[in-house]
């Protein structure tokens, strides 16, 4: 899943709540890059200068970092990409080299509101990119290069949910939760999941069929993680949300 929201829309807060409820892995490109800067790696040195200009990190660098982070999240039911992709070429590259997202969440608010939020955050966080000049450049870059990503995903028939963030965090999360459940835990996706498990179970039991008898058919209720009468939990295949 992908969070395509601009800076200051509260992506980190909503990602944290999804991680807690659905067991997803939160992968923030910004956090990864800031860690590289702190460690003074070669990538970090390159990013530090890019960050001051409010520009986007080169495609090859971002794809390498995101792929490494995803490979380290195999134990999660899915992952949330926070702050990536930020340009159409990044979206195309990620789909080609990794996979297409199951859901794109676009959190939005007027730029004046975002600017005010980022300035307030800068007074607390001390982040190098939370100053008036860099914020102006970041918002301009987002409008020019990142907004087209939302349109690109809509044209490729990817599920895109637009969420206005000029409200309470609870109201925002209620919309986010509903979008996640609808996109990932729909009846049709669950039926496909059950069929995959049925086929896998039949193959595994084929060699010992004589000893064990006929293999048991797997129903919706039998499927692990979906006990009868309880809410559908995360499907045990890696989903991708873009934010």
């Amino acid at each position: 899943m992908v969070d395509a929201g601009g800076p200051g829309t509260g992506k980190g807060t909503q990602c944290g709540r999804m991680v807690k409820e659905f067991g997803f892995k939160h992968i923030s490109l910004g956090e990864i890059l800031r860690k590289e800067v702190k460690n003074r790696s070669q990538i970090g040195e390159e990013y530090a200068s890019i960050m001051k200009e409010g520009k986007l990190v080169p495609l090859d660098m971002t794809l390498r970092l995101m792929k490494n982070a995803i490979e380290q999240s195999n134990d999660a039911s899915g992952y949330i990409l926070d702050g990536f992709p930020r340009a159409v070429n990044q979206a195309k590259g990620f789909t080609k080299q990794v996979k297409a997202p199951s859901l794109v969440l676009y959190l939005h608010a007027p730029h004046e509101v975002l600017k005010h939020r980022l300035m307030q955050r800068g007074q607390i966080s001390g982040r190098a990119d939370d100053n008036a000049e860099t914020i102006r450049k970041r918002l301009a870059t987002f409008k020019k290069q990142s907004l087209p990503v939302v349109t690109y995903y809509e044209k490729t028939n990817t599920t895109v949910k637009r969420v206005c963030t000029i409200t309470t965090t609870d109201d925002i999360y209620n919309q986010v939760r509903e979008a996640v459940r609808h996109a990932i835990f729909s009846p049709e996706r669950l039926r496909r999941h059950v069929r995959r498990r049925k086929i896998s179970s039949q193959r595994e039991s084929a060699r010992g069929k004589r000893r064990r008898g006929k293999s048991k058919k797997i129903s919706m209720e039998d499927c692990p993680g979906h006990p009868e009468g309880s809410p559908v939990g995360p499907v045990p295949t890696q989903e991708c949300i873009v934010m």
Side-chain angles (χ1 to χ4, degrees):
M1 285 172 271
V2 181
D3 183 345
T9 53
K11 298 186 301 298
T13 298
Q14 300 304 323
C15 287
R17 297 183 71 166
M18 280 191 285
V19 168
K20 185 175 181 180
E21 179 170 355
F22 297 107
F24 299 141
K25 173 72 174 181
H26 178 200
I27 301 176
S28 169
L29 178 60
E31 290 299 324
I32 293 173
L33 290 170
R34 282 187 287 274
K35 184 177 180 181
E36 295 289 339
V37 171
K38 185 177 180 180
N39 293 337
R40 297 184 178 181
S41 67
Q42 181 178 353
I43 292 177
E45 293 294 330
E46 293 180 44
Y47 175 61
S49 59
I50 294 173
M51 183 171 62
K52 291 179 182 178
E53 294 299 319
K55 297 179 180 179
L56 296 180
V57 180
L59 175 62
D60 58 341
M61 184 189 298
T62 55
L63 281 178
R64 185 167 68 252
L65 291 172
M66 297 306 284
K67 287 172 69 174
N68 289 341
I70 289 169
E71 289 172 359
Q72 297 172 13
S73 64
N74 289 330
D75 57 338
S77 58
Y79 46 90
I80 309 167
L81 303 186
D82 177 357
F84 179 89
R86 276 290 175 261
V88 173
N89 68 330
Q90 291 180 355
K92 291 180 178 180
F94 183 79
T95 297
K96 183 178 181 179
Q97 296 188 33
V98 186
K99 67 180 298 184
S102 310
L103 170 67
V104 175
L105 289 167
Y106 172 41
L107 308 187
H108 61 87
H111 278 200
E112 286 303 314
V113 173
L114 299 181
K115 181 178 178 181
H116 177 70
R117 290 176 180 174
L118 292 170
M119 289 295 293
Q120 286 189 318
R121 186 176 72 181
Q123 295 174 4
I124 301 172
S125 68
R127 279 176 45 170
D129 55 345
D130 280 345
N131 62 76
E133 181 60 21
T134 302
I135 288 170
R136 183 187 65 78
K137 293 178 180 178
R138 289 172 65 195
L139 292 175
T141 299
F142 177 79
K143 182 178 181 180
K144 181 179 179 180
Q145 296 186 273
S146 299
L147 274 182
V149 173
V150 178
T151 303
Y152 163 76
Y153 278 126
E154 288 176 330
K155 289 182 178 179
T156 59
N157 294 320
T158 301
T159 300
V160 177
K161 173 64 176 178
R162 296 171 178 256
V163 181
C164 176
T165 62
I166 309 180
T167 182
T168 67
T169 55
D170 286 343
D171 288 340
I172 296 168
Y173 187 64
N174 286 337
Q175 296 182 64
V176 169
R177 177 198 286 121
E178 184 62 26
V180 171
R181 288 178 173 174
H182 179 75
I184 296 178
F185 307 132
S186 64
E188 178 55 32
R189 290 181 68 85
L190 182 56
R191 281 193 291 270
R192 289 200 299 268
H193 167 58
V194 170
R195 285 197 295 270
R196 286 195 298 269
R197 286 193 55 82
K198 179 179 179 180
I199 293 172
S200 176
S201 177
Q202 289 174 341
R203 287 174 177 172
E204 290 175 1
S205 63
R207 289 189 295 270
K209 188 174 181 180
R210 292 181 181 178
R211 179 172 57 85
R212 297 192 301 270
K214 292 184 178 180
S215 60
K216 180 183 177 182
K217 292 183 177 181
I218 298 178
S219 67
M220 297 282 281
E221 290 75 20
D222 294 325
C223 183
H226 317 301
E228 186 174 6
S230 67
V232 175
V235 176
T237 57
Q238 283 209 314
E239 301 291 348
C240 173
I241 299 179
V242 173
M243 291 190 77

